[in-house]
Amino acid sequence: MTMAATNEQPRLAGRVLEEGRVGPLTRTHFVRYAGAGGDFNPIHHDDEFARSAGYPSVFGHGMLTAGLLSDFVVQRFGLHNLRRFSVRYVGQVWPGDVLVFSGHSIAAAEGEDPRRAAYELKVERIGPDGQRNTVLTGGATVAGEDA
């Protein structure tokens, strides 16, 4: 089926995903991810090394946060419906942080399948002090969305 181009508002825009949370994250999460990913940079597990590099503490791997976001998307749509996934790192994740995952549809994705939708995604950290910051933004295109 081919859809004619129109100036109508995409019918899937504005759909909000139920928020997801993970944490609080610990150094053990960072070390376990280092083992799984093969990235043993001491900045992720050695406080003295991290402080010597100008950081207040060790921090999580960006790919750990991205992987958790991908799980958030796959849990909602299924791996078989995920067509595209991208991320942009914005900030760091520290021990004790709780990660909050959210997303909303911005448009029906380009292509012939009218059930494809594009989503903007965001990961925020909530620190032990209650401070909330965005640490990662991203996007996903999923198939199989009902109008």
Side-chain angles (χ1 to χ4, degrees):
M1 178 172 117
T2 301
M3 295 191 55
T6 68
N7 291 327
E8 293 179 25
Q9 179 73 12
R11 64 183 174 163
L12 297 175
R15 182 173 291 173
V16 177
L17 301 178
E18 184 177 337
E19 190 176 276
R21 290 180 178 236
V22 169
L25 294 175
T26 66
R27 293 164 200 271
T28 301
H29 289 107
F30 301 163
V31 171
R32 291 176 68 186
Y33 182 80
D39 178 355
F40 292 101
N41 185 327
I43 208 157
H44 298 296
H45 61 82
D46 183 331
D47 263 332
E48 187 175 318
F49 183 88
R51 281 194 285 275
S52 73
Y55 296 100
S57 169
V58 298
F59 55 91
H61 303 71
M63 288 297 289
L64 169 62
T65 306
L68 292 168
L69 179 62
S70 72
D71 185 61
F72 169 77
V73 173
V74 167
Q75 292 298 317
R76 275 136 187 91
F77 300 104
L79 181 59
H80 60 284
N81 287 323
L82 184 60
R83 299 295 184 260
R84 184 188 66 81
F85 180 74
S86 63
V87 296
R88 179 173 171 264
Y89 302 103
V90 178
Q92 285 141 327
V93 173
W94 308 98
D97 285 351
V98 172
L99 300 181
V100 180
F101 305 91
S102 61
H104 64 276
S105 62
I106 54 173
E110 293 182 21
E112 293 187 6
D113 185 348
R115 296 176 305 142
R116 281 191 182 192
Y119 281 82
E120 283 185 347
L121 305 167
K122 181 169 64 175
V123 181
E124 296 173 290
R125 63 170 282 275
I126 301 175
D129 62 356
Q131 186 175 358
R132 190 170 180 148
N133 306 93
T134 300
V135 293
L136 190 128
T137 59
T141 301
V142 297
E145 284 279 278
D146 295 326

